[in-house]
Amino acid sequence: MGGVLLGFALGAVAFTAQGRELGNKLGDAALSQAKKVMEHAKKSAEQSAGKSEIGGASE
């Protein structure tokens, strides 16, 4: 029952200007954080690839 009420409340908020604005801000923050994570993962993968190539060449 609580889930139904929560869903109804969130749905009602989404139809207000303030609710849409809040949703947009949360979405932008999530995308920004995801981009940071992806950049960090890319750098880590590049560093790992560089180390494995160096290690493989010296063996």
Side-chain angles (χ1 to χ4, degrees), residues 9-47:
L10 290 174
V13 168
F15 286 105
T16 65
Q18 289 176 338
R20 287 189 301 271
E21 183 180 346
L22 178 62
N24 289 340
K25 286 181 182 179
L26 290 173
D28 289 342
L31 285 174
S32 175
Q33 188 63 26
K35 287 179 184 179
K36 289 179 187 177
V37 169
M38 293 299 292
E39 288 173 8
H40 180 68
K42 182 179 176 184
K43 288 179 185 177
S44 295
E46 289 172 351
Q47 290 175 351

